[in-house]
Amino acid sequence: MFNLILFGPPGSGKGTQSKKLAEKYSLKHVSTGDILRSEVKQQTTLGKKAQAIMTTGELVPDELLIEILHSEIDNNKEAKGFIFDGFPRTTVQAKALDGLMVKVSSDICQVISLEVEDEEVVARLLKRAEIEGRKDDNAETISTRLKVYKSQTAPLLDYYDKQCKLYKVKGEGSIEEIFKSICLNIIPQ
Ligand code: AMP
């Protein structure tokens, strides 16, 4: 299996680039944000628990996310590999993901980090709010999400760097330019 993590702050383009990568390398795209939004829309038990937290910009509890990941991996054992978008976001999640990968005799192969300046991220998210109307794309929530990213998620860069799995890519420019830069860093197995 070829398993990739697309890493970066909210608004760095993880979703857009993950979809393109999933198509090019025939990988199963797992976006925890999309999964949670779908649960909220269907008002499942999980969706109801996640909804209030998501509107504040804070993180949904690790155990719920790990459960989601467990079933995504379990239900897609035939996949050539996974591209994880928006997961892991904490050290607890990263360690749990390592364990889930071992269970399917696999491993995280590469972590691509999209590097985008704060001002650019804020501008992109405010623009997305106009187009998609996502409730968590407002000035206050964006500020919380960036703080949460810096305090809880960014430390994972070091976790993966120590394992020599981290590849940093400039996440500014056109979608195609960024996609090319990412692909130049991909080492499929
Ligand atoms: P995203 O679409 O990836 O920006 O995620 C939207 C929101 O869903 C986040 O602000 C969190 O509240 C929640 N979320 C998504 N992925 C995770 C995760 N891995 N851990 C905790 N919360 C998450």
Side-chain angles (χ1 to χ4, degrees):
M1 268 184 168
F2 178 57
N3 303 307
L4 269 182
I5 294 173
L6 209 58
F7 201 87
S12 57
K14 299 188 296 293
T16 306
Q17 297 296 337
S18 291
K19 283 188 196 116
K20 291 174 76 67
L21 287 165
E23 197 183 337
K24 180 171 165 109
Y25 296 101
S26 307
L27 304 174
K28 166 78 185 156
H29 175 206
V30 177
S31 158
T32 47
D34 286 350
I35 294 170
L36 288 168
R37 277 184 289 278
S38 152
E39 298 280 337
V40 170
K41 208 170 167 189
Q42 296 171 59
Q43 284 294 292
T44 60
T45 314
L46 169 63
K48 284 179 189 160
K49 277 187 201 164
Q51 189 166 22
I53 304 168
M54 288 170 79
T55 38
T56 65
E58 296 287 342
L59 295 183
V60 174
D62 287 332
E63 55 275 18
L64 295 181
L65 267 297
I66 292 164
E67 220 177 285
I68 291 175
L69 257 285
H70 194 173
S71 53
E72 282 293 314
I73 294 171
D74 235 31
N75 293 336
N76 292 283
K77 281 194 195 119
E78 309 308 318
K80 261 180 74 182
F82 291 93
I83 173 150
F84 298 109
D85 157 14
F87 187 95
R89 264 172 149 106
T90 64
T91 308
V92 171
Q93 292 180 16
K95 290 188 175 160
L97 181 59
D98 288 343
L100 291 171
M101 288 281 104
V102 169
K103 276 195 185 162
V104 288
S105 308
S106 199
D107 197 7
I108 294 298
C109 307
Q110 288 186 254
V111 179
I112 307 280
S113 169
L114 292 173
E115 309 281 306
V116 185
E117 296 294 331
D118 282 3
E119 302 83 74
E120 171 73 13
V121 156
V122 173
R124 283 186 195 178
L125 292 174
L126 290 175
K127 196 171 161 200
R128 186 171 75 184
E130 284 173 20
I131 301 165
E132 294 177 21
R134 249 177 74 169
K135 283 203 183 100
D136 59 347
D137 284 341
N138 61 70
E140 194 187 332
T141 311
I142 291 169
S143 152
T144 306
R145 283 155 70 202
L146 279 175
K147 275 188 207 141
V148 167
Y149 173 77
K150 283 177 189 162
S151 62
Q152 299 190 56
T153 307
L156 289 180
L157 289 168
D158 195 39
Y159 179 80
Y160 290 113
D161 196 22
K162 283 192 176 129
Q163 298 176 39
C164 303
K165 290 179 178 172
L166 183 66
Y167 296 78
K168 291 188 177 178
V169 171
K170 190 170 165 254
E172 295 184 36
S174 74
I175 291 175
E176 286 309 322
E177 277 165 358
I178 299 165
F179 185 57
K180 263 191 200 155
S181 314
I182 295 175
C183 292
L184 284 174
N185 282 277
I186 301 267
I187 314 158
Q189 290 154 353

